[in-house]
Amino acid sequence: MTLLQVNNVTKRFGGLVANHEVSFQVGQDEVVGLIGPNGAGKTTLFNCIAGFHQLTSGSVIFDGEDITALSDFQVARLGLARTFQIFQASGDLKVVENVMVGSFMRTSSRGAARQVALEVMEFLGIADTAGEMMTELPVAAQKRVALATALASDPKLLLLDEVGAGLNHSEIDGLIELLQRIHGERGVALLLTEHVLEMVMKLSHRVIVLESGRKIAEGEPAAVVKDPEVVRAYLGDHYVKRQKENGDA
Amino acid sequence: MEELGIQILKSAVSGLIMGLVFALVALGLTVIFGVMDIVNFAHGEFLMVGMYTTLLTSPLLGVDPVLTLPLAGLVGAVLGVMCYFGLIRFLLRGPMIAQLFGTFGLMIFLRNLALLFMGSEPRIIHEGWLVGKSILVGPGVVLESTKVAAAALSLISFAVVWWFINRTRVGKAITATSLDAEGARYMGISTEYMNALAWAVGGASVGVAGGLLVNFWPVEPGVGLLFTMIAFATVALGGFGSVRGALVAGILIGFIVNLPPVWDAILRSIDAAGLRGMEIHSFKYTMVYAVYFLIMVLRPQGLFGWKQ
Amino acid sequence: MEAVKNAFDFGDMPRSELWLAALALAFLLWFPAMPHSSFGMATMIQFLMFSLYGMGWNLIGGYGGQVDLGKAQYVGIGAYTTAVMMIRWDVPFWFSMPVGMALAVGWSFIIGYPLFRLKGHYFAIATIATSLVLKDLFEVWNFVGGARGLEIPMKGDMPNWLYLQFREDYYYYYVILGMLLVGLIYMNGFRHSRLGYQLRAIKDNEHVARSLGIDVHWSKIKAYAMATAYVAMVGSFHACYNFNIEPEDTMSLDLSVLIAMMAMLGGAGSMWGPIIGAAILVPMKNYLGSWLGGQAGFAGMDLAMYGLIIMIIAAAQPRGVYGIVEAMRARRR
Ligand SMILES: Nc1ncnc2c1ncn2[C@@H]1O[C@H](COP(=O)(O)OP(=O)(O)O)[C@@H](O)[C@H]1O
Ligand SMILES: [Mg+2]
């Protein structure tokens, strides 16, 4: 079953075309990676899907409903959660209270919200930080809290924008395992971006490649990395040419 | 009908003149806001200081009030720089709310310092080249030459500041800082210096405006608030940080403030019984606030705004 | 039911704070029985009023991060509703107060809708503008007495609980203290409500808040309405306590800023902040005034010092007194 359907999405900022006629789908139990070099338009595409940007043209269908014209908070209530690339913690809330803001999307009872929040934090292995202030946590832990908050809203699809950025190798391994469990045990479909390929390659069933706002490839991770277009997008013409020369020699 | 025509002419002329003075008052606010996104509640108090400077130094030095304008500008600039180094620099580290209160404290401080030293009675300049002379520009339309000269001098001062910001090296650095503080820092422009300079320019222009204003507007310690609000409205209308916008918006606000007499004249000329009692001359400044509110809601970037 | 439980649940506060609060409450209950001057009593009543004003401000300004500098217009609406209803139709305080609150809340919805499309400085200045417009209108509106304002006539028989007319100030003191306690309990409930959490998330980051399904615009308007109810309630009390009201002393910008300053000085976004702020600022303002303001040739000295102190606080500790306390607590850990 298709959960998310992106049809010919175009987004312009003045003269700049950030997304051009992008189409793809995400199934109900899929993990899809969205890759592309910096500035390719990944974050913009997320913003379009999540209702944060108004589309220039195209449409987005989520869970059988046309969400093109909806606001971001309405989209979120339908079960489409997201985490942000740039994440800055501040403010007055304790960790568990932060996560409760997520679970309050589904209930107005404080007790129930707290229970869901604690359960999600337990699941993500951060239950011990419940009473701390956000600002006192290291960045990796803050990102997990953001993940927990999104999960606490009980989404069907989770958009993850560069969740791995700024993490070291062992932290990335932990994250991969965690995302696999979120997908496997909680049944949440994932759509994730990354400009570092490692994580996306390990996790995704299918990969979509974006360059200068256009979709240039789509397919299984192993096949996509061999696509010459993709290699060029990532490493530049010059590298492709040299590789070819090396091959010829 | 004739009365109405005269009133319209009168309002238009007086609107233009007041508008030019308002523009000069707002200029300082917009320059400062452009460079560092801070709203100075004490702006009207700077104006008051300029007014007192001219009022006091003119008899003291034995020269005409008009000749003390550079001094009013200088006092304004020094005050601006002092405030920047003594207060604003620290406020910039805190949240926005601290900035609002810090400058509000400055406003209370300056206002009551004036009360302490100058007393509460309103004062105005009684003698000078500009005082008490008038020009007849049309049937029934008499212009006080004070106001005409003040408007002309406002325009000149405005031109000087505009020239300074757009044509001199230092001025261009101010613009660069207001467009992109980070980038300007990389280009070797010291933010600290630029901020102080913005406060100097802002203080000087509002100081001169005060020196002009006191020729026809009585000064008392509480005179500032009205002008602070007018300056806010002007800056909002012109777009926060826009110099050109401040000029056009100042004139517009001048017209708006002069609209109520026209309305009242219309009422009188049609003499409709049902409308009697709906004169609105006392709503002059209410209109300014209302206009501010409407602009902010309908067009938050102002008419020429580039900063939002 | 859960709302009631939330309102009385203080379990998430440090023990030390609760002990201090209990001590303060005991002092406040006891105060009228202790020897005091009438000036001291008036200062205490003002302190309680400003605590409530500050709590109202804190609801939207502290928890929500929306710097509102137009709270005085709601003081005015509350005060004028009570005064007009009492003078013209002989309506008792306890009926006119809820009406005033309802009118204020209605007005807050009308202006809140456009206001909350603005942010930051733009929002703050626009709130000033709305408040000043209302004040100017009241100054020419004859029905409410224009610039001269209104005076509530004495009923004769005192104490009169229905119309809130007392000869001795301690009656007023206990009425406003009661209101403060109700306000505190309600605020505690709000803190624990869904809207309370959502509002703090909005203050933190609006984009994140929206991504969690929060209708930011509507949430701000709702919180603004609640904040308004606090302020209007005390405005009604103000009318009865002062007997006469004018646009200048109920709706001025100075009052709006003073209200906001209470909360900021004490610590915006904390439950006790506004009360701490009022406990410092109100006596300071009053006693500076009576100490310096009365002396010939020193007019303005008190307020100049007051302005100076505000500047120092804003520059040195923008998070307020409660912020200092929290910083110390964090260091000890
Ligand atoms: N709000 C915006 N206004 C104008 N241009 C934008 C905006 N957001 C993104 N862009 C531009 O769109 C392009 C794509 O950016 P982005 O989606 O952030 O790329 P990615 O996430 O793939 O690195 C960039 O050139 C960026 O400068
Ligand atoms: Mg990105």
Side-chain angles (χ1 to χ4, degrees), chain C residues 90-172:
Chain C
D90 209 28
V91 178
F93 171 78
W94 301 103
F95 291 98
S96 65
M97 181 185 83
V99 173
M101 287 163 75
L103 285 176
V105 167
W107 176 244
S108 85
F109 275 113
I110 292 170
I111 64 165
Y113 191 81
L115 264 180
F116 282 110
R117 290 170 59 177
L118 307 174
K119 298 200 166 71
H121 291 123
Y122 307 91
F123 172 80
I125 301 171
T127 58
I128 299 178
T130 57
S131 194
L132 289 179
V133 168
L134 203 67
K135 174 173 165 253
D136 285 0
L137 290 176
F138 270 63
E139 279 180 348
V140 297
W141 190 14
N142 285 329
F143 185 75
V144 297
R148 273 172 301 108
L150 292 172
E151 179 143 4
I152 297 176
M154 299 282 188
K155 286 272 169 206
D157 51 331
M158 297 208 194
N160 188 333
W161 284 97
L162 219 46
Y163 290 85
L164 228 58
Q165 298 192 345
F166 309 113
R167 196 162 289 121
E168 290 90 5
D169 265 0
Y170 65 81
Y171 287 101
Y172 288 108

Side-chain angles (χ1 to χ4, degrees), chain B residues 23-24 27 153-163 243 246-247:
Chain B
L24 186 61
L27 177 62
L153 286 169
S154 281
L155 203 55
I156 293 170
S157 316
F158 209 98
V160 170
V161 174
W162 190 89
W163 170 83
V243 171
L247 181 61

Side-chain angles (χ1 to χ4, degrees), chain C residues 66 119 201-211 216 220:
Chain C
Q66 308 299 309
K119 298 200 166 71
I202 289 171
K203 177 188 181 182
D204 224 23
N205 187 325
E206 288 195 9
H207 297 326
V208 174
R210 298 174 68 90
S211 81
V216 169
K220 286 178 184 172

Side-chain angles (χ1 to χ4, degrees), chain A residues 6-241:
Chain A
V6 176
N7 301 323
N8 299 319
V9 165
T10 298
K11 176 67 195 175
R12 262 190 225 113
F13 296 108
L16 181 105
V17 184
N19 292 142
H20 184 78
E21 301 275 321
V22 181
S23 301
F24 66 92
Q25 301 188 341
V26 178
Q28 213 157 38
D29 47 7
E30 253 191 316
V31 177
V32 177
L34 183 64
I35 64 172
N38 245 327
K42 305 179 294 289
T43 302
T44 306
L45 190 56
F46 268 19
N47 285 334
C48 288
I49 295 170
F52 183 72
H53 286 328
Q54 217 56 42
L55 303 190
T56 308
S57 66
S59 67
V60 183
I61 315 284
F62 177 70
D63 206 13
E65 207 171 317
D66 187 343
I67 60 167
T68 316
L70 296 189
S71 295
D72 44 2
F73 68 90
Q74 293 168 319
V75 172
R77 287 177 189 176
L78 292 176
L80 199 158
R82 65 183 301 199
T83 64
F84 290 84
Q85 177 175 359
I86 301 164
F87 181 77
Q88 210 173 23
S90 61
D92 309 333
L93 290 172
K94 289 186 184 137
V95 169
V96 62
E97 293 172 328
N98 230 298
V99 180
M100 281 167 72
V101 175
S103 41
F104 267 125
M105 194 164 99
R106 301 283 176 221
T107 171
S108 63
S109 151
R110 176 172 166 237
R114 192 178 168 83
Q115 210 171 353
V116 172
L118 288 173
E119 187 269 319
V120 171
M121 291 176 72
E122 189 74 44
F123 181 79
L124 295 181
I126 49 171
D128 53 321
T129 60
E132 294 186 42
M133 299 307 286
M134 283 295 274
T135 42
E136 292 166 2
L137 295 181
V139 178
Q142 287 184 6
K143 287 198 150 187
R144 280 204 182 190
V145 177
L147 195 57
T149 309
L151 266 190
S153 70
D154 191 22
K156 300 189 178 94
L157 173 66
L158 187 53
L159 308 186
L160 301 158
D161 200 1
E162 313 232 352
V163 269
L167 302 186
N168 63 31
H169 264 284
S170 67
E171 283 170 337
I172 289 202
D173 285 341
L175 188 62
I176 290 176
E177 193 212 349
L178 200 64
L179 292 177
Q180 273 165 344
R181 282 182 52 219
I182 290 174
H183 175 249
E185 294 173 30
R186 299 183 88 92
V188 181
L190 303 177
L191 175 61
L192 56 148
T193 74
E194 201 61 50
H195 70 269
V196 187
L197 296 184
E198 182 199 345
M199 201 166 110
V200 177
M201 292 302 153
K202 276 194 192 157
L203 268 171
S204 314
H205 304 146
R206 197 151 51 84
V207 171
I208 293 153
V209 189
L210 224 54
E211 195 218 349
S212 310
R214 289 160 201 271
K215 184 170 101 174
I216 57 166
E218 174 171 355
E220 300 211 333
V224 162
V225 275
K226 296 209 189 85
D227 190 322
E229 283 257 16
V230 177
V231 176
R232 181 180 308 120
Y234 264 82
L235 303 166
D237 280 332
H238 151 87
Y239 180 86
V240 178
K241 217 186 293 165

Side-chain angles (χ1 to χ4, degrees), chain B residues 33 37-39 41 87 90-91 93-102 104-109 111-113 115-116 225 229 232 240 282-283 285-286 289-290 292-293 296-297 300 307-308, chain C residues 57 67 69 111 114-115 117-118 120-122 124-126 128-130 132-133 136-137 140 253-254 257 260-261 264 268 297-301 303-308 310-312 314-315 318:
Chain B
F33 187 90
D37 274 5
I38 191 168
V39 170
F41 267 105
L87 175 68
F90 302 100
L91 296 181
R93 293 187 207 137
M96 185 196 91
I97 178 173
Q99 301 169 11
L100 290 174
F101 288 120
F104 194 83
L106 181 62
M107 161 182 152
I108 296 179
F109 178 69
R111 188 197 288 181
N112 287 286
L113 222 52
L115 182 64
L116 185 60
L225 181 62
M229 286 312 293
F232 280 164
F240 280 80
S282 55
F283 285 146
Y285 300 109
T286 315
Y289 307 140
Y292 172 83
F293 181 71
M296 290 312 297
V297 170
K307 196 149 189 171
Q308 162 75 331
Chain C
W57 185 90
V67 178
L69 297 177
I111 64 165
L115 264 180
R117 290 170 59 177
L118 307 174
H121 291 123
Y122 307 91
I125 301 171
I128 299 178
T130 57
L132 289 179
V133 168
D136 285 0
L137 290 176
V140 297
L253 175 62
D254 285 13
V257 173
M261 212 133 52
M264 194 204 83
F298 279 99
M301 184 79 158
L303 286 173
M305 279 181 66
Y306 174 69
L308 194 64
I310 291 168
M311 282 192 280
I312 293 172

